[in-house]
Amino acid sequence: MEPYYQRYTIDQHLGRHLSSLRNLAKAGPEHFPLCLQIVKKNSLYHEAWEIFAEDKESLKKVIDLHADFLLSSDKNAEAGLCKLPLLLFTSFVYLFIYLFHKKCTVR
């Protein structure tokens, strides 16, 4: 058994959900759907933001899951703010590409 997955199973058995999530995330992307289940079941949304901060696609799914939770809790404003960093980043990237392209075509 892969070491990080083994640590995940031990932590799950001991009820150490945050530690189990960290180890499962290190076990590989094939375990990501199970990571989302752990996040949702144990309300580890903020911790998941940190754990998956380096992986844009995984982070987007974590943010969507967190926003869905907030919406279901009638926290609409918080759900909107939850997605704001990702929207700002995406907008910045598009703006940069547009300006760079414009600068290259002006010459």
Side-chain angles (χ1 to χ4, degrees), residues 90-103:
T90 305
S91 298
F92 177 76
V93 169
Y94 286 128
L95 178 64
F96 178 78
I97 291 170
Y98 170 76
L99 292 174
F100 182 76
H101 182 271
K102 190 174 181 176
K103 181 179 179 183

Side-chain angles (χ1 to χ4, degrees), residues 18 39 43-52 62 66 70 82:
L18 179 55
V39 168
S43 297
L44 297 172
Y45 300 103
H46 295 287
E47 294 83 355
W49 280 55
E50 294 175 22
I51 292 169
F52 296 104
V62 167
H66 192 187
L70 291 169
C82 185

Side-chain angles (χ1 to χ4, degrees), residues 21-22 25 32 44-63 85-86 89:
L21 176 62
R22 285 189 177 121
F32 184 70
L44 297 172
Y45 300 103
H46 295 287
E47 294 83 355
W49 280 55
E50 294 175 22
I51 292 169
F52 296 104
E54 300 298 318
D55 181 1
K56 183 182 169 190
E57 289 303 312
S58 296
L59 181 60
K60 183 183 180 312
K61 291 177 183 174
V62 167
I63 290 171
L86 191 59
F89 175 76

Side-chain angles (χ1 to χ4, degrees), residues 4-34:
Y4 285 115
Y5 190 82
Q6 185 177 23
R7 292 176 191 163
Y8 150 76
T9 55
I10 293 168
D11 286 336
Q12 264 312 90
H13 180 73
L14 296 174
R16 298 188 300 214
H17 304 295
L18 179 55
S19 182
S20 70
L21 176 62
R22 285 189 177 121
N23 284 311
L24 190 61
K26 292 176 185 175
E30 65 273 14
H31 301 292
F32 184 70
L34 183 54

